[in-house]
Amino acid sequence: MITTTRIKEEFDLILLGLQKRGLDLRSELEEILEQDDVRKRTQKELDDTLHEARILSKEIGGLFKAGKKEEAEQAKSRTSALKAQEKVLHQKLAETEEALTEKLRHIPNVPHESVPKGTSESDNVETERWGEAEGSGEQHKPHWELAKTYGLIDFEAGVKITGAGFPVYTGKGAILQRALINFFLDRNVAAGYQEVLPPHFVNEDSAYGTGQLPDKEGQMYHITADDLYCIPTAEVPVTNLYRGDILKEEDLPKRNTAYTPCFRREAGSYGKDVRGLNRLHQFDKVEVVVVEHPDRSYERLDRMVEHIGGLIKELEIPHRILRLCGGDLGFTSALTYDFEVWSRAQERWLEVSSVSNFESFQSNRLKLRYRPSDGGKPQLCHTLNGSALALPRILAALLENNQTESGIVVPKVLQPYTHFDLIQ
RNA sequence: GGAGAGUUGGCCGAGUGGUCGAAGGCGCACGCCUGGAAAGUGUGUAUACCUCUCAAGGGUAUCGAGGGUUCGAAUCCCUCACUCUCCGCCA
């Protein structure tokens, strides 16, 4: 959520930034400022009323003590008008505040200056490409065929026991999953991230904290009996670790990594998008989540991109990095890099990671702040996160790219984890 | 799941209707003392919003959360959440 202070101070800049998303929100922003003025006036009125009532009740107390009962009773009658006024103002304030946040919620984050203008995927800017991609796919089998041939994934069994989009990994397929998870976690820990193993369900407050609620309600599995939500990404529980916190400036950055399964309803998806491992309801992912000082968040983003790129290189998978354009940028992000691996058989790019700087957009909603070392007022932190990495599409690319006459070759870096180097 | 006890500031802990944003202690910060330190001693030590907007000052709210009683609630009542103890169940 963007702050009203910022809207007031950087009105034109914000307007300009949002244009990169193809949005003209001038009137919405103006309405917010007007609403904020109403809020302030109401608050002042309410505070004054309460102040008056407070003084009066102190007087009454004094009168009772002094034994002046009649005068006290008289004073009492004067409070009833104040009480009525107080009630009205209180309600008005609550309504105004609610309307204000409701409006504020619909303003997306302001894109960073480096975000290219654009309306769709095609306007994303490729910043890096690694390995041999494009073409050469004719004699390659798609991963769902390979998975079946080598007994790595049983999609039908998943359908039987749960439903479509819930694959069962079997044998070397299951071991490969475990190997990838451990490989990613080990590398992240070596890079300085603290490993955490969070709950896979979160409460409503947490879902609000990272912005899944109220807008993306339909994307999450909801356990109604206990009012809990299955996490769509580890970002939700890990970021909420810091909800409402005031950190010490010297404790920044906070860097965490977590493996969790991710649950997504993916309502409305169909066709080739959901074939095989392309899109699932349950999948495994290792995530990195960072809370950083505002002055250093972009430097941090660059390092995260470098680290995640390094992981894919180690796995020797052809990939590219895209800087997302305004139109493709997520609602909460100020700058996002997408990592895509090459699916040789499908001859298309598959997104395996999305690394973003949310600046203070998330922390404003989370009330996540740090106290400056010089003792000044608490300031909002910046938050960043990225997948490092999402397993299914990595596995898909791995199977398709590494298929040979004799079987599927396991990348060298995974062999210490799998204890086999070939899938036959 | 049943019964009981509890939840107060960074931490411990007092406070059962008024002058309580809250005693006392610890911790922390700054000063004094000291050659330096410890001890001692003095001062300060929450957050949000409003006013002001440079600062200072002032106002309001917050004693687990929400609602109620009352002129007035940390204190009384109701609902919920969480923690602990005992019983039950259990990987």
Side-chain angles (χ1 to χ4, degrees), chain A residues 381-396:
Chain A
C381 298
H382 280 194
T383 59
L384 307 94
N385 70 43
S387 337
L389 288 153
L391 294 234
R393 294 173 188 163
I394 286 283
L395 183 63

Side-chain angles (χ1 to χ4, degrees), chain A residues 239 290-291 356-359 362-363 368 381-385:
Chain A
T239 309
V290 178
V291 182
S356 305
N357 187 354
F358 305 102
E359 297 188 357
Q362 272 188 335
S363 36
L368 165 54
C381 298
H382 280 194
T383 59
L384 307 94
N385 70 43

Side-chain angles (χ1 to χ4, degrees), chain A residues 42 70 75 131 141 188 243 275 284 303 319 332 408 414:
Chain A
T42 312
E70 255 175 54
K141 289 183 178 153
N188 294 346
R243 170 155 46 89
R275 193 84 196 266
D284 296 295
R303 290 170 67 179
H319 64 279
T332 55
I408 290 162
L414 286 184

Side-chain angles (χ1 to χ4, degrees), chain A residues 214-377:
Chain A
D215 294 326
K216 300 181 200 158
E217 178 138 35
Q219 279 300 325
M220 284 188 296
Y221 287 97
H222 185 197
I223 301 160
T224 49
D226 297 292
D227 207 11
L228 296 172
Y229 295 87
C230 304
I231 58 170
T233 158
E235 169 195 345
V236 178
V238 177
T239 309
N240 272 285
L241 240 29
Y242 301 101
R243 170 155 46 89
D245 284 4
I246 300 176
L247 305 169
K248 292 184 191 148
E249 181 170 9
E250 55 268 33
D251 286 347
L252 296 175
K254 292 280 188 188
R255 299 199 290 150
N256 291 298
T257 183
Y259 154 72
T260 67
C262 302
F263 304 93
R264 299 184 183 181
R265 296 187 58 225
E266 301 291 3
S269 302
Y270 61 93
K272 70 176 164 59
D273 280 348
V274 300
R275 193 84 196 266
L277 294 170
N278 288 347
R279 178 157 298 178
L280 301 168
H281 289 306
Q282 178 180 329
F283 64 96
D284 296 295
K285 180 159 66 65
V286 176
E287 183 83 2
V288 290
V289 175
V290 178
V291 182
E292 180 59 284
H293 192 286
D295 294 347
R296 292 188 292 270
S297 65
Y298 280 97
E299 188 189 321
R300 174 65 56 193
L301 182 66
D302 288 343
R303 290 170 67 179
M304 289 166 75
V305 167
E306 201 177 321
H307 172 68
I308 291 165
L311 295 176
I312 310 179
K313 281 180 193 136
E314 279 200 86
L315 291 171
E316 301 169 62
I317 301 174
H319 64 279
R320 63 176 187 174
I321 305 177
L322 304 172
R323 180 185 285 142
L324 296 193
C325 72
D328 211 19
L329 198 62
F331 188 83
T332 55
S333 176
L335 177 59
T336 296
Y337 290 97
D338 268 8
F339 288 71
E340 297 183 336
V341 294
W342 182 245
S343 167
R344 196 163 295 285
Q346 299 182 81
E347 298 193 47
R348 58 189 277 226
W349 294 100
L350 298 176
E351 184 189 330
V352 289
S353 179
S354 198
V355 192
S356 305
N357 187 354
F358 305 102
E359 297 188 357
S360 60
F361 198 85
Q362 272 188 335
S363 36
N364 183 35
R365 182 181 277 228
L366 287 163
K367 297 277 172 285
L368 165 54
R369 292 159 294 174
Y370 71 93
R371 185 184 302 283
S373 311
D374 64 17
K377 278 193 116 189

